Amino acid sequence: MKIHFEEELWMDQMKYALGDDQVMYYKMYCMGLKQLTWFHSGIKHLDAGTTMMSEEKEKMLIYSDFRFKTIFLASFYLFA
């Protein structure tokens, strides 16, 4: 793919899938690519993980979110 998502292997180190969409959209934006949102596609997102929230999982989500934002900002804004 034109955006070379394989360059973002640092995201695989996180315990949760946080930020992958943001990185993809940002790289698309930088390359002048467009995105399309189709609201009536009929696809339903079944996020089973939200029904099993525990204090430990919530802590890990907070940590992963902070880590992603720190790396994303450093990678794409500070050193670009």
Side-chain angles (χ1 to χ4, degrees):
M1 193 170 187
K2 191 174 180 180
I3 61 171
H4 299 286
F5 212 59
E6 68 275 4
E7 296 172 351
E8 312 310 329
L9 295 178
W10 58 271
M11 291 190 302
D12 289 341
Q13 297 171 357
M14 299 199 304
K15 297 195 182 286
Y16 300 99
L18 293 173
D20 51 345
D21 292 341
Q22 185 175 0
V23 170
M24 181 181 69
Y25 296 142
Y26 180 73
K27 291 184 91 168
M28 289 173 64
Y29 168 78
C30 289
M31 300 185 95
L33 298 172
K34 305 290 183 199
Q35 66 180 351
L36 171 71
T37 302
W38 185 18
F39 293 104
H40 302 291
S41 67
I43 296 172
K44 294 182 181 181
H45 183 259
L46 303 175
D47 188 5
T50 58
T51 60
M52 301 178 340
M53 186 62 72
S54 67
E55 184 177 338
E56 185 63 29
K57 184 174 181 180
E58 187 173 0
K59 286 178 185 177
M60 289 306 298
L61 281 169
I62 292 169
Y63 169 77
S64 295
D65 184 53
F66 174 76
R67 184 168 185 260
F68 166 75
K69 288 176 181 172
T70 303
I71 294 172
F72 179 79
L73 289 172
S75 299
F76 293 105
Y77 288 109
L78 301 178
F79 303 113

